[in-house]
Amino acid sequence: MMKDSSRRGFMGKAFGAVAGVGAVASLYAMKKSWDPLPSVKAAGFTTLDMSAYKDNELVTEKWRGKPIFVLKYTPEMIAQLDDKQKSRSVTVNGEDFMVCLGLCTHLGCIPGYDPDEKSFLCACHGGMYDFTGDVTKAPPPRGLDIPPFKIDGNKLVLGEEGPEYKKMKETGVTL
């Protein structure tokens, strides 16, 4: 009888050990699946060298898988800006830029830029934006969204909220 109970005890302990190891391995695998991928972590911030952009030439960058429009204003464009449009401008080393998410705020289509007209047209439903990303023709409910940014010398760091972006957010220029 002693022999059976010790064997039964050993089997119970062995099963418990295997189950414990399996539970720890399962918890580890679950935690690894919840952690963001290294590619996602790396995509959190994008640094743009603002000295590389040319006047009235739209460049589409990529940040977190989304298109980011960067447009350097010409002196003529700057002269046309009213106060509302100036509040949407990003100034880096004395030069003004439009930096926006390249997605229409109506249904998320990608508007096209016409450098001669200095305006954006969303072909999905005919929405229009001026060169600052502000709505000039409905149906878009608001101007193009401005991604979080921080100015670091001649560079713009997307994904980090600097004082300039926080001011835009506080004044309602962007969400």
Side-chain angles (χ1 to χ4, degrees):
M1 190 80 171
M2 264 316 247
K3 199 171 188 184
D4 284 341
S5 67
S6 66
R7 183 173 182 198
R8 187 173 291 147
F10 173 75
M11 291 300 286
K13 289 176 186 169
F15 177 74
V18 169
V21 169
V24 169
S26 295
L27 289 173
Y28 177 75
M30 285 175 23
K31 190 220 178 283
K32 289 295 282 178
S33 70
W34 291 332
D35 288 343
L37 295 170
S39 60
V40 173
K41 284 183 183 176
F45 299 102
T46 300
T47 303
L48 307 176
D49 181 2
M50 302 307 280
S51 64
Y53 298 99
K54 297 184 175 98
D55 289 357
N56 196 30
E57 185 179 296
L58 183 73
V59 177
T60 304
E61 302 287 355
K62 194 172 183 182
W63 171 69
R64 293 185 181 171
K66 296 177 183 169
I68 301 294
F69 289 165
V70 180
L71 180 69
K72 182 178 176 187
Y73 297 153
T74 64
E76 295 79 29
M77 293 163 107
I78 294 168
Q80 293 175 12
L81 295 176
D82 61 25
D83 289 339
K84 182 181 176 192
Q85 292 169 321
K86 281 180 188 167
S87 68
R88 292 185 57 84
S89 296
V90 176
T91 304
V92 180
N93 279 349
E95 296 181 313
D96 291 313
F97 297 86
M98 176 205 68
V99 179
C100 299
L101 244 61
L103 300 171
C104 179
T105 56
H106 177 231
L107 291 176
C109 300
I110 299 175
Y113 181 66
D114 182 349
D116 297 327
E117 296 290 323
K118 295 179 181 62
S119 66
F120 293 88
L121 171 65
C122 181
C124 292
H125 295 103
M128 294 183 77
Y129 301 89
D130 63 16
F131 62 85
T132 68
D134 204 14
V135 177
T136 56
K137 182 178 173 227
R142 63 183 184 280
L144 295 172
D145 294 324
I146 300 169
F149 69 89
K150 178 181 148 195
I151 297 171
D152 184 13
N154 203 33
K155 301 201 181 320
L156 192 79
V157 181
L158 296 173
E160 193 172 339
E161 290 188 11
E164 299 84 359
Y165 177 78
K166 287 179 182 174
K167 183 180 177 193
M168 286 178 163
K169 211 170 172 181
E170 287 169 8
T171 57
V173 172
T174 192
L175 296 176

